[in-house]
Amino acid sequence: MTVEQQFSTVRTDISGHLIQDLVMKFGTPTYVYDAQTVRDRIEQLRQFDVIRYAQKANSNIGVLDLVRKNGVVVDAVSSGEVFRAVSAGFDYDGEPDPIVYTADIFDREALDLVVEKGIHVNVGSPDMIEQYGQRVPGGEITLRINPGFGHGHSAKTNTGGESSKHGIWHEQLEDCLALAAKFDVSVTGLHMHIGSGTDFEHLSQVCDAMLQTALRVGDTIKMISAGGGLPTPYRDSDVGLDVDRYYQLWNRTRKQLEAGFGHAVSLEIEPGRFLVAESGFLLTEIRAIKKMGRNLFYLVDAGFNNLARPILYGAYHPMSIAFKGEPTHETQDVIVGGPLCESGDIFTQQEGGFVCSRELPVATVGDYLVIECAGAYGYVMSSNYNSKPFSAEVLIDGDKTHLIRKRQSPADLIRGEVIPD
Ligand code: LLP
């Protein structure tokens, strides 16, 4: 496959399942994930000792079950995510830790859960060390370090540097070690996730920062985590990640530490997007096609309530048309929007809200528009804005399709709401 052909704008099926059949069975808007793509991405990362899935990218328990069955453990950033992991069959105990709690704060519920279940914590602030130490003296923690620089596909996904709220500031390391020692808590792991969409130049800087930081902590370190942030192709011009090169850089750092410490150091990776982005498709139906001056709009039945990445980051997603009727061979420039009563409800926009057009096949109302590479940070960031129900989610596995989440009903929308007496 050439780079130019990576994403086609016409599509008939997803992994052999006709779009028309999927729509007939599950309706629109619906997220569809292909299990084999997730498995393939997992295989690409097998060189790492531990693959820890950042479930924030897609935390449907059907997806969690899939990664678990393929030897992957999970990261949880809330007590809700811990609950999901357990519901998907992950244990609290095991080697490596099946569930790790990573955050910059403990809300009270999460702290209670961590203490009660003995969950390993990846600590992102000195206050967390204090709060953990008081409850679990003699425990073990990982420190998430902000090395003072970062990187991201958008300013909103850069998680390093002075403007980021994430992790422990590198200059505070010694203070944090002293704080941990006060409670007899040992620092057994180090973690650096410095942003989504990292590149290699940057990565060697991160590896170096990890090495220096680990040497400052000393030989209590048994594990280092490269965090997530592995890029995934969204455009024809994007080339896939050279996973081997990525691994080699981290492995060299790990080996240097093993030589220094004289014991084994486990190397973890914590991808979210990389495992699930390409597996996911948001199926929508074109419900109106209208002209506004020189612009032509395809209005579909999904909006930023279903996929918020374009409005939040100006994120680009490949799109294709699945014809319900006769296919056409011509294309035209269109703007793709959703049903919400808000002008920003546009899928073809750049960061800053600039609306742009996309060359797509000439379609008619009733054809389907598929938003691709939508498996990461898609469903999980949806909302009920405009009282739109959450979509359905479907997992394709070979010749089977599994409804892994039912579409919300109107009753679901008002569940828990009360009219006062
Ligand atoms: N580990 C930690 C501590 C993280 O904060 C994140 C992502 C990951 C791992 C996984 O990163 P990934 O491999 O998926 O890049 N909503 C944004 C992405 C936010 C990422 C937040 N943290 C988006 O749609 O692009």
Side-chain angles (χ1 to χ4, degrees):
M1 195 195 287
T2 67
V3 170
E4 290 74 35
Q5 289 167 334
Q6 193 164 188
F7 300 109
S8 163
T9 55
V10 180
R11 176 176 279 282
T12 51
D13 68 286
I14 298 172
S15 309
H17 295 262
L18 290 176
I19 306 277
Q20 287 224 28
D21 293 349
L22 291 167
V23 170
M24 292 273 285
K25 209 162 160 191
F26 304 109
T28 54
T30 291
Y31 273 97
V32 176
Y33 313 115
D34 176 41
Q36 191 52 45
T37 307
V38 178
R39 286 193 203 99
D40 291 346
R41 294 294 163 273
I42 293 172
E43 286 317 310
Q44 278 186 271
L45 299 179
R46 281 287 184 221
Q47 292 181 90
F48 289 86
D49 298 322
V50 176
I51 306 170
R52 187 171 296 287
Y53 174 48
Q55 64 168 294
K56 67 188 73 128
N58 184 332
S59 55
N60 185 296
I61 57 173
V63 173
L64 294 182
D65 172 68
L66 171 69
V67 300
R68 182 181 59 79
K69 286 181 174 144
N70 286 275
V72 170
V73 291
V74 277
D75 173 60
V77 297
S78 64
S79 48
E81 285 195 352
V82 173
F83 177 70
R84 286 183 170 281
V86 172
S87 306
F90 286 96
D91 294 326
Y92 288 111
D93 299 315
E95 184 52 45
D97 293 296
I99 306 171
V100 165
Y101 177 81
T102 300
D104 297 294
I105 66 154
F106 280 123
D107 53 42
R108 291 179 186 280
E109 216 183 336
L111 181 57
D112 287 346
L113 189 66
V114 156
V115 172
E116 188 189 322
K117 304 294 183 190
I119 297 171
H120 186 79
V121 180
N122 180 8
V123 160
S125 60
D127 288 306
M128 283 181 78
I129 302 177
E130 180 100 36
Q131 291 158 9
Y132 179 85
Q134 281 166 2
R135 301 278 298 271
V136 193
E140 295 186 349
I141 53 171
T142 292
L143 296 186
R144 176 177 179 180
I145 303 294
N146 176 340
F149 55 85
H151 196 274
H153 69 71
S154 142
K156 292 176 193 144
T157 59
N158 183 342
T159 57
E162 260 178 15
S163 315
S164 165
K165 68 179 173 123
H166 295 296
I168 287 172
W169 187 244
H170 58 113
E171 289 169 337
Q172 281 182 1
L173 178 67
E174 278 72 21
D175 292 347
C176 287
L177 293 175
L179 188 56
K182 196 172 118 191
F183 300 103
D184 198 24
V185 165
S186 50
V187 175
T188 55
L190 275 186
H191 174 282
M192 273 183 201
H193 170 86
I194 35 69
S196 280
T198 44
D199 61 45
F200 282 108
E201 280 162 54
H202 186 243
L203 185 63
S204 50
Q205 241 184 310
V206 180
C207 288
D208 195 49
M210 175 64 93
L211 178 68
Q212 300 311 328
T213 312
L215 292 173
R216 278 159 69 196
V217 176
D219 66 4
T220 53
I221 296 293
K222 294 187 286 197
M223 181 283 296
I224 56 170
S225 171
L230 284 74
T232 190
Y234 284 102
R235 293 174 188 262
D236 281 333
S237 53
D238 292 344
V239 277
L241 175 70
D242 182 346
V243 174
D244 199 51
R245 195 167 155 210
Y246 196 93
Y247 172 77
Q248 293 308 338
L249 275 170
W250 275 111
N251 191 35
R252 196 179 61 190
T253 307
R254 175 256 292 277
K255 292 259 182 259
Q256 286 167 316
L257 289 174
E258 287 183 334
F261 296 151
H263 62 70
V265 174
S266 167
L267 177 58
E268 287 201 9
I269 185 115
E270 198 175 76
R273 185 188 319 272
F274 185 80
L275 295 192
V276 289
E278 291 160 277
S279 78
F281 301 81
L282 176 56
L283 303 191
T284 76
E285 185 184 352
I286 300 177
R287 299 296 304 155
I289 296 181
K290 63 177 183 179
K291 247 186 145 25
M292 293 293 194
R294 279 164 296 155
N295 289 329
L296 185 68
F297 286 74
Y298 287 178
L299 297 185
V300 301
D301 59 2
F304 71 70
N305 56 310
N306 302 107
L307 177 66
R309 300 192 73 252
I311 192 171
L312 280 180
Y313 319 117
Y316 180 99
H317 284 266
M319 291 177 196
S320 53
I321 299 292
F323 294 104
K324 190 172 182 183
E326 278 305 296
T328 58
H329 300 288
E330 299 89 61
T331 60
Q332 57 192 355
D333 287 336
V334 295
I335 295 170
V336 179
L340 304 180
C341 290
E342 182 141 342
S343 335
D345 187 25
I346 296 292
F347 288 118
T348 47
Q349 61 177 295
Q350 293 166 351
E351 196 158 13
F354 300 105
V355 170
C356 46
S357 62
R358 184 79 62 92
E359 188 182 345
L360 284 176
V362 172
T364 46
V365 170
D367 286 336
Y368 306 114
L369 186 136
V370 184
I371 305 182
E372 311 200 352
C373 296
Y377 306 107
Y379 183 93
V380 286
M381 292 175 78
S382 35
S383 75
N384 282 137
Y385 187 44
N386 280 198
S387 290
K388 290 284 190 181
F390 287 139
S391 69
E393 290 179 287
V394 170
L395 184 69
I396 292 181
D397 200 351
D399 57 3
K400 294 211 175 57
T401 55
H402 305 277
L403 180 63
I404 56 171
R405 183 195 302 266
K406 279 197 220 156
R407 183 178 311 286
Q408 270 189 328
S409 66
D412 292 332
L413 282 176
I414 57 168
R415 195 173 310 282
E417 293 181 29
V418 175
I419 299 174
D421 300 334

